[in-house]
Amino acid sequence: MTQAKTRPWNFSAGPSVLPVPVLEQAAAEMLDWHGCGMSVMEMSHRGKQFVQICDEAEADLRTLLGVTDDYAVMFMQGGATAENAIVPLNLIGRRGAPVADYVLTGHWSRRSHKEANRYGDAQVAAASDAATVLDGREQAPWTWVPPVSDWHVRPDASYLHLCSNETIGGVEFMDWPEPAALGAPEVPLVVDASSHFLSRPMDVSRVGMMYAGAQKNAGPAGVTVVIIRRDLLGHALPICPTAFDYANVAAESSRYNTPPTYAIYVAGLVYKWLLGQGGLAAIETANRAKADLLYGFLDGSSFYRNPIHAPVRSRMNVPFVLADAAQDAAFLAGAEAAGLTQLKGHKSVGGMRASIYNALPLAGVEALVQYLKEFERTHG
Ligand SMILES: *Cc1c(COP(=O)(O)O)cnc(C)c1O
């Protein structure tokens, strides 16, 4: 084997950093899971070992989030992108006419909306697509969240979709709206929570369903978590693939067909790691400390700038720009040399982005702030 390089501080938006103890345990169990003489990758998805792994992952996830039995918890494939289609395929026709509403706050919610229009009439309930003034400051499009009182939800919509953490833009809903606040009690909320899933306690009882690709904050690529209220099952459009019909997947405890067994296993290790950290309230405290440190530094500097309306700044994905974009390349090269990797922003917004997920410790953010200071001192 080659000598392992020192682990860099990894700010990737996804696939992203995993907890070291999780990687160590997966490595230790690679050839022999719990004395059965096999790797998890080699097991039947219907054998008793994998059934135990999968059921434990589900149980731990329910414990972390406080999910009641009114909801099914499923491990699926295809990522959040596939859910953009699977959601309407399952839900858009549940009340007759295929009608659903979408709140647009950035790249990912726009992608979801666009896909839904292939299956029905998906309208925009609210969008931050224009500049506005908030708290006396000019906010550019996609850097703020329209207030719930301005959302126009059609009473006959099958659901209302939003993305509660825009991974690229860095806009986060600090809370999911209460159903009563939407003025349309029959319309369940459907949330893409991919990039802040398990970053803090979340009140699942406020949503009809939520989904999250694991590779952002909660595991390796290949598995998507879906949590759905059971009364929403069983309304799929006739064209919905049977493997993507939530009712089938839920009835078979995520094993309707072969699930992504190894990814579920590693995600399960992440859930156990989170429980060991003290659960979601404890990880929220740690995430707040990291975000406060980074935003506090950016706000105190005139060399760097984060454009997001302060109350909805994501604690997971922190985009920022340098005063002079001509220095971006030097910034990134210097960061790599200092052991800080994957800081380049998404091409649609430019600049930089630091994703500071659960598994990135405070020391990583401290190292980033140290580098930001040093770069400003030598290039400012
Ligand atoms: C990454 C991401 C997606 C797309 O995930 P895939 O796994 O690539 O399909 C969708 N929504 C959000 C919020 C994301 O962060």
Side-chain angles (χ1 to χ4, degrees):
M1 276 208 286
T2 51
Q3 180 73 34
K5 187 169 175 274
T6 314
R7 276 173 74 79
W9 296 118
N10 180 357
F11 298 94
S12 170
S16 43
V17 59
L18 285 164
V20 171
V22 166
L23 297 173
E24 287 172 341
Q25 188 175 346
E29 296 177 342
M30 176 61 74
L31 295 182
D32 179 6
W33 185 80
H34 295 203
C36 77
M38 283 182 291
S39 167
V40 174
M41 282 182 266
E42 302 170 296
M43 293 172 182
S44 163
H45 63 294
R46 304 199 187 280
K48 72 172 193 301
Q49 289 102 351
F50 182 72
V51 168
Q52 182 190 329
I53 288 168
C54 192
D55 288 352
E56 248 179 69
E58 179 183 332
D60 287 340
L61 187 52
R62 284 182 181 275
T63 303
L64 279 169
L65 276 168
V67 183
T68 64
D69 199 47
D70 302 339
Y71 288 79
V73 172
M74 297 179 274
F75 299 109
M76 297 184 67
Q77 301 194 61
T81 303
E83 292 302 326
N84 286 341
I86 299 171
V87 164
L89 281 164
N90 276 271
L91 298 180
I92 202 164
R94 70 179 192 93
R95 297 176 70 195
V99 171
D101 289 349
Y102 280 69
V103 176
L104 308 190
T105 50
H107 178 95
W108 290 115
S109 49
R110 292 162 76 193
R111 288 272 299 265
S112 300
H113 172 239
K114 191 167 177 224
E115 185 80 5
N117 264 313
R118 305 180 63 207
Y119 303 102
D121 165 25
Q123 284 193 16
V124 177
S128 58
D129 59 345
T132 190
V133 175
L134 292 169
D135 306 328
R137 267 184 59 174
E138 174 93 7
Q139 289 298 147
W142 313 119
T143 66
W144 53 284
V145 170
V148 175
S149 53
D150 291 349
W151 297 7
H152 299 287
V153 185
R154 289 176 290 177
D156 64 338
S158 291
Y159 60 87
L160 173 69
H161 181 283
L162 61 85
C163 172
S164 56
N165 189 63
E166 289 281 1
T167 320
I168 293 173
V171 171
E172 179 172 8
F173 286 71
M174 292 307 159
D175 236 330
W176 294 333
E178 293 204 52
L182 300 175
E186 301 301 315
V187 182
L189 202 56
V190 171
V191 178
D192 176 358
S194 292
S195 49
H196 67 165
F197 186 54
L198 304 183
S199 68
R200 55 176 163 85
M202 292 180 173
D203 185 358
V204 174
S205 75
R206 287 190 181 184
V207 303
M209 97 161 243
M210 54 130 303
Y211 58 95
Q215 77 274 18
K216 304 294 166 56
N217 196 37
V223 59
T224 318
V225 170
V226 173
I227 302 176
I228 182 167
R229 219 170 56 212
R230 294 189 196 275
D231 63 283
L232 299 174
L233 298 171
H235 304 283
L237 298 176
I239 58 162
C240 179
T242 52
F244 291 153
D245 184 331
Y246 293 141
N248 291 337
V249 182
E252 301 291 336
S253 305
S254 303
R255 300 184 289 274
Y256 175 77
N257 67 327
T258 314
T261 52
Y262 197 76
I264 292 170
Y265 156 71
V266 178
L269 296 181
V270 172
Y271 306 157
K272 288 200 191 297
W273 176 79
L274 281 168
L275 289 168
Q277 300 292 299
L280 299 187
I283 206 78
E284 176 177 33
T285 303
N287 286 333
R288 253 183 212 279
K290 291 185 292 179
D292 287 351
L293 175 62
L294 183 50
Y295 284 115
F297 174 77
L298 295 172
D299 284 347
S301 154
S302 51
F303 188 78
Y304 304 101
R305 198 174 73 86
N306 166 278
I308 310 304
H309 183 216
V312 296
R313 284 170 161 181
S314 171
R315 290 192 202 124
M316 295 281 101
N317 310 100
V318 184
F320 60 92
V321 291
L322 276 53
D324 176 7
Q327 296 190 325
D328 284 4
F331 177 91
L332 288 166
E336 284 292 340
L340 308 165
T341 199
Q342 310 213 50
L343 281 165
K344 192 171 167 37
H346 191 270
K347 58 184 184 300
S348 63
V349 291
M352 310 300 154
R353 170 176 49 172
S355 295
I356 51 175
Y357 293 126
N358 286 352
L360 187 91
L362 180 63
V365 179
E366 288 169 346
L368 173 60
V369 168
Q370 193 55 45
Y371 174 71
L372 291 168
K373 275 186 195 158
E374 185 59 18
F375 190 84
E376 178 173 355
R377 192 181 65 76
T378 49
H379 294 74

